[in-house]
Amino acid sequence: MTASIISGKEVAAELRQQIKEEVHALQDTLTPGLAVILVGDNTASRSYVKGKEKASKEAGIYSELTEMPSDITEETLLNKVEEYNHQDDIHGILVQLPLPDHISEKKVIERIAPQKDVDGFHPINIGRMMTGQEAFLPCTPFGILQMLKYKNIPLEGKHAVIVGRSNIVGKPVGQLLLNENATVTYCHSRTADLKHHTSQADIVIAATGKAEFIKQEHVKEGAAVIDVGMNRREDGTLCGDVDFEEVKEKTSFITPVPGGVGPMTITMLLYNTLQSAKKHAGVRNS
Ligand code: NDP
């Protein structure tokens, strides 16, 4: 079996067009606003922030970038977040992670007003998601769910195996699939016999940060495979956590890297910012 490639680019382009149209329709009421805070000069973080700014602009979302040096105090950063919490033209706040070691990410995330937490990392939004209430969903897991739905990949009653249990990807994507009535297994670095679990999965989500780690032997014939990983090979080229060339021969659906999950993450950030702005303006979803 040769897999159908799920193009995150294609799904993202369609969703971004819908977002752009909704933003346009709102123009007489308000312009959605996203504040992004970048601390320090991490090259990868800077490039993610640039991508978010560009995408916001294209969708007609106002975006404001605050750059802070890596030696700022935690207090200064918390105060900036607080300022944005009260700024009426800002509907979403994103603090680009990771932060320097002397700043507590937990404290910073908890300072963001939950109604502006468009990254979906605040414990209140996580708790709401876990209890099936309306919440800002974390962008990468939310994007993965959108791709699976776009391709009509059945979730209910299916066995999803998540490889990775981070707070930003592994744990929430498992929760979202559980909310869709999938049966979910989490695997991690201490899992004994990973292959035993992954090879039973109807859906494998790879989020380990280990380049081309998931091989053909890890997946069963006809499984759908979502590759969250973004890694650099020794020659500098980008690759995922899945050995794409090898695994695609065995699967029904697979996401490429680049062009898979990545474009969806930014798209869901735009989506969450739009939802926040609509809520602020009292506009209901049709
Ligand atoms: P983390 O490093 O926070 O988590 C990695 C997870 O993988 C951990 O739970 C770890 O287990 C598990 N793991 C590591 N080695 C193994 C192994 N040998 N077998 C089984 N499990 C293992 O990474 P993130 O979740 O933040 O990110 C994962 C990947 O996704 C990265 O490549 C990252 O760059 C990418 N990413 C991509 C995004 C996108 O938009 N496309 C967004 C966010 C991340 P343990 O908990 O036991 O340590």
Side-chain angles (χ1 to χ4, degrees):
M1 177 178 279
T2 298
S4 158
I5 313 284
I6 311 178
S7 165
K9 263 193 192 160
E10 185 188 310
V11 186
E14 209 174 300
L15 276 172
R16 285 186 200 191
Q17 184 56 32
Q18 287 169 19
I19 292 168
K20 191 174 172 176
E21 285 166 17
E22 276 205 58
V23 170
H24 186 72
L26 272 179
Q27 67 180 348
D28 291 338
T29 313
L30 89 177
T31 302
L34 173 68
V36 178
I37 305 178
L38 174 65
V39 181
D41 203 23
N42 178 313
T43 316
S45 293
R46 186 168 291 280
S47 124
Y48 295 146
V49 163
K50 253 193 175 164
K52 288 166 188 172
E53 276 202 296
K54 183 170 172 272
S56 301
K57 213 178 225 171
E58 282 167 6
I61 292 175
Y62 166 70
S63 98
E64 184 171 312
L65 173 65
T66 296
E67 292 197 48
M68 295 177 145
S70 58
D71 60 354
I72 52 140
T73 64
E74 187 177 87
E75 197 54 30
T76 310
L77 177 55
L78 291 174
N79 288 339
K80 190 67 206 172
V81 170
E82 197 60 50
E83 201 181 304
Y84 280 136
N85 283 343
H86 296 287
Q87 200 168 310
D88 257 2
D89 61 342
I90 293 298
H91 308 100
I93 303 170
L94 181 151
V95 180
Q96 184 63 47
L97 303 178
L99 292 170
D101 289 346
H102 66 283
I103 298 177
S104 158
E105 288 186 357
K106 177 175 163 288
K107 266 196 196 169
V108 173
I109 289 168
E110 289 186 1
R111 184 60 66 90
I112 298 172
Q115 67 274 18
K116 294 192 179 186
D117 168 41
V118 288
D119 242 349
F121 293 164
H122 193 290
I124 290 207
N125 280 311
I126 293 167
R128 285 186 183 144
M129 174 188 71
M130 288 200 70
T131 50
Q133 299 178 59
E134 191 184 325
F136 285 123
L137 302 178
C139 301
T140 300
F142 192 12
I144 293 169
L145 186 62
Q146 293 303 313
M147 282 200 289
L148 291 167
K149 287 189 169 178
Y150 184 88
K151 287 289 183 184
N152 293 317
I153 295 170
L155 302 175
E156 183 162 328
K158 297 298 176 188
H159 185 197
V161 173
I162 320 295
V163 192
R165 56 170 167 180
S166 72
N167 289 334
I168 62 166
V169 185
K171 279 184 199 155
V173 79
Q175 184 63 52
L176 291 183
L177 294 176
L178 183 63
N179 291 357
E180 297 290 329
N181 299 316
T183 301
V184 177
T185 301
Y186 286 98
C187 297
H188 45 78
S189 67
R190 320 281 169 88
T191 297
D193 199 356
L194 178 70
K195 194 174 78 178
H196 168 77
H197 298 285
T198 55
S199 61
Q200 294 179 44
D202 301 304
I203 301 162
V204 176
I205 314 273
T208 63
K210 301 256 172 291
E212 299 174 322
F213 172 70
I214 300 291
K215 304 284 184 193
Q216 209 178 72
E217 60 175 24
H218 287 101
V219 299
K220 84 171 175 192
E221 190 81 32
V225 175
I226 305 288
D227 188 353
V228 188
M230 279 209 284
N231 314 294
R232 294 253 167 226
R233 295 190 189 91
E234 276 181 10
D235 64 4
T237 53
L238 206 59
C239 69
D241 290 352
V242 176
D243 189 330
F244 181 82
E245 289 306 323
E246 196 181 298
V247 173
K248 80 174 196 302
E249 300 302 327
K250 209 174 171 185
T251 52
S252 54
F253 292 95
I254 190 166
T255 60
V257 177
V261 174
M264 291 303 294
T265 297
I266 298 188
T267 304
M268 301 330 288
L269 175 72
L270 305 178
Y271 178 87
N272 282 348
T273 305
L274 171 63
Q275 298 310 312
S276 177
K278 280 166 71 176
K279 215 168 187 177
H280 179 83
V283 178
R284 287 179 173 277
N285 276 323
S286 47

